[in-house]
Amino acid sequence: MKNELVLIATVGGTPEPIIKSIEHHKPRYVYFIPSPETEHKVDEVINRLGTAPFKFKHQVKTITNHEDIVKTYRICNQLFNELESEGLKAKQIIIDITGGTKVMSAALVLAAADYGCQISYVGGPSRTKNGVGIVQDGSEKTTRNLHPFELIAKSDKERFCLNFNTYRFEAAIDDANKIKAKGGGRLGALFDYMRKFCVGYRDWDMFRYSSCIQDIESGINGIRKLNENGPFEPRYLERFIASVANNVKHLKSIEKDDFSEGLVKELVANACRRAEEGKYDDAVARLYRACEMLAQVGIMELFGHKTKEFPLNSLLPEIRIELFSRDPEDAKKDLGFKKAFQILARMRHKYGLIYAENEEELRSIINVRNDSILAHGTTPITKEKYERLHKIFREAFGIDGSDIKFAKIHPEELMSIGLEKE
């Protein structure tokens, strides 16, 4: 069944519409959903299709309480769960809502909406009762319509926006995959590109600068292509794309050296995002690393060496004797946070001078970080403590991370997508 077409049909008092639907779609499996009063019609359908040039297997799911929409929905939903567990994709399922009671048809549509199935309906130009009764035999016409998921995917889109806007990119990737699988046409294509944004921003948030630009630009180009192939109103995500384009421009401007002030700004912005999530231990760990990197940037600028295995003979003799009197002149030393800033201060480098002027306050960042559960202690960091440390860092170095903002998706930009006129 994994790669076969399945038809699910509610059964009413006449077999002709179901026969017409089966002949039109030629499914390999048919699930009949009758009431106890119409269950016998299934045998009539099977018998009349016995000479058809195609064969199909079938099952019957009788609705005993077909006037109760909740109970009827549960049975229909259970059927979809069974099909999903067998590996069937939503686009392989067609539901026919022609027969049966209105409650049965409504319940089947509601269940199908969660899975993105297409709807089939058998109508016709000739009806009994002066045009308001049932379709007359021989005049049936099968239509296949947009699946209901595209009409009521509001909660799925809102959940996607929430996860993306709060940096839960793995969850947003899952949301995009589900919407793509359920949605057809432009909605499915759109969320294929939205997934690329999720991957790109996830990698940016994890400092993977080499890969994130490619995915983000792929998303931009894809959505711009969708807009060009329209035009449709409203155009897709114009505010979001403008923000993303600015983000890409920023990413391309970041110095890719081992240590740079640009990377320090990225660390501080990352700390701000972790604080938005309430992850204050993570945020302070990044502030600490930002302090440390500023020292590394200064050492690299002055000496062309990293702080790891730093050659002491690169220092002026008076500085080396003052700070490393116990070490041999030709020794190589891993410079710690404090020693690196002390060297910079003696060399009158701006970062060293800032550190010297604010040493007590800046060392509080080290102390709080060391006491946190992510370093050497067991004390969780509070929001108030993080904000105090961020203020110290901002006022000392003039870097607060506010100039690096991830693009955000406005939910209203997504709500109408999938509902455009073809």
Side-chain angles (χ1 to χ4, degrees):
M1 184 184 292
K2 187 173 182 180
N3 298 313
E4 305 292 351
L5 185 65
V6 171
L7 176 69
I8 304 173
T10 50
V11 181
T14 177
E16 276 72 17
I18 298 179
I19 293 171
K20 184 72 175 180
S21 184
I22 294 173
E23 289 176 336
H24 179 84
H25 298 298
K26 296 180 175 57
R28 292 299 301 273
Y29 294 82
V30 179
Y31 287 86
F32 295 100
I33 303 180
S35 66
E37 291 77 14
T38 61
E39 195 170 15
H40 67 282
K41 294 293 181 180
V42 175
D43 292 333
E44 188 175 343
V45 171
I46 300 301
N47 291 334
R48 289 179 58 177
L49 287 171
T51 59
F54 62 93
K55 302 298 179 182
F56 60 88
K57 296 180 180 180
H58 76 279
Q59 288 188 35
V60 179
K61 300 281 187 178
T62 303
I63 306 292
T64 56
N65 193 344
H66 53 276
E67 299 298 335
D68 187 324
I69 194 168
V70 174
K71 292 181 180 178
T72 305
Y73 167 81
R74 286 174 179 165
I75 293 174
C76 294
N77 191 59
Q78 182 181 6
L79 172 56
F80 280 108
N81 287 336
E82 292 172 4
L83 295 176
E84 187 178 44
S85 68
E86 293 181 15
L88 210 67
K89 302 297 184 184
K91 294 175 183 178
Q92 297 170 247
I93 303 172
I94 300 172
I95 64 169
D96 191 296
I97 60 172
T98 310
T101 66
K102 291 180 174 64
V103 168
M104 292 165 63
S105 298
L108 183 56
V109 169
L110 287 173
D114 289 334
Y115 293 88
C117 305
Q118 296 193 62
I119 300 175
S120 175
Y121 180 78
V122 178
S126 300
R127 291 178 177 268
T128 62
K129 298 181 181 180
N130 296 321
V132 296
I134 64 172
V135 177
Q136 291 182 341
D137 293 350
S139 68
E140 297 91 355
K141 181 181 179 181
T142 302
T143 59
R144 189 165 163 177
N145 299 304
L146 186 74
H147 44 70
F149 174 79
E150 304 231 0
L151 303 178
I152 59 174
K154 182 174 183 289
S155 61
D156 297 78
K157 294 174 184 176
E158 287 177 340
R159 182 169 57 250
F160 170 80
C161 291
L162 176 63
N163 284 326
F164 185 92
N165 290 342
T166 54
Y167 320 118
R168 296 195 289 267
F169 297 115
E170 291 294 346
I173 289 171
D174 289 340
D175 293 335
N177 285 336
K178 290 175 183 176
I179 295 174
K180 177 187 173 184
K182 295 177 182 179
R186 287 183 289 275
L187 184 66
L190 173 70
F191 273 89
D192 189 26
Y193 297 124
M194 297 308 293
R195 182 187 180 281
K196 294 182 184 295
F197 288 125
C198 298
V199 172
Y201 277 89
R202 176 201 64 191
D203 286 355
W204 183 3
D205 208 33
M206 299 175 73
F207 309 105
R208 298 172 182 168
Y209 300 109
S210 59
S211 62
C212 70
I213 295 177
Q214 181 178 351
D215 282 305
I216 294 174
E217 285 192 318
S218 178
I220 291 176
N221 294 333
I223 291 182
R224 284 176 174 168
K225 185 176 180 181
L226 286 179
N227 281 334
E228 290 170 2
N229 290 341
F232 303 102
E233 294 296 340
R235 289 173 65 80
Y236 296 138
L237 299 164
E238 287 188 321
R239 285 183 293 174
F240 174 67
I241 294 302
S243 297
V244 173
N246 286 332
N247 283 166
V248 170
K249 184 178 180 181
H250 162 76
L251 284 167
K252 290 182 176 180
S253 72
I254 298 174
E255 300 174 49
K256 299 301 190 295
D257 297 332
D258 288 332
F259 307 111
S260 68
E261 188 169 302
L263 291 180
V264 173
K265 292 179 179 179
E266 285 289 320
L267 276 166
V268 178
N270 196 292
C272 293
R273 293 195 293 273
R274 300 293 77 79
E276 282 185 53
E277 296 177 280
K279 298 177 180 177
Y280 301 112
D281 291 84
D282 290 319
V284 169
R286 284 155 174 75
L287 284 182
Y288 167 82
R289 181 69 185 101
C291 280
E292 183 181 55
M293 187 175 287
L294 283 173
Q296 291 172 314
V297 170
I299 293 295
M300 180 65 72
E301 287 178 352
L302 288 178
F303 302 100
H305 293 295
K306 297 181 180 180
T307 55
K308 184 177 178 62
E309 296 187 347
F310 180 82
L312 296 185
N313 57 15
S314 298
L315 297 172
L316 295 172
E318 59 269 27
I319 297 176
R320 179 181 57 78
I321 293 171
E322 177 186 354
L323 299 178
F324 301 97
S325 58
R326 299 182 180 180
D327 296 291
E329 182 179 347
D330 60 351
K332 292 186 177 181
K333 194 83 172 176
D334 290 345
L335 300 180
F337 185 104
K338 183 176 180 179
K339 288 289 189 183
F341 274 118
Q342 286 177 331
I343 291 172
L344 294 175
R346 300 302 188 278
M347 296 292 294
R348 308 297 296 173
H349 188 279
K350 62 178 181 178
Y351 296 148
L353 296 175
I354 290 171
Y355 177 82
E357 293 173 4
N358 303 273
E359 182 173 4
E360 183 176 347
E361 292 85 356
L362 290 171
R363 284 194 63 80
S364 66
I365 297 177
I366 304 174
N367 296 333
V368 171
R369 175 260 180 185
N370 287 341
D371 290 339
S372 80
I373 198 166
L374 294 184
H376 312 300
T378 58
T379 305
I381 297 174
T382 63
K383 177 183 179 181
E384 292 73 23
K385 189 169 289 185
Y386 158 76
E387 290 177 343
R388 181 174 64 83
L389 298 176
H390 181 265
K391 181 180 179 183
I392 290 170
F393 185 93
R394 179 184 71 242
E395 291 181 348
F397 294 106
I399 300 172
D400 65 0
S402 63
D403 55 337
I404 303 173
K405 296 289 188 182
F406 279 12
K408 297 291 181 74
I409 303 172
H410 299 276
E412 62 271 18
E413 290 189 277
L414 282 176
M415 287 306 109
S416 64
I417 294 174
L419 305 181
E420 308 90 340
K421 294 181 181 179
E422 296 290 344

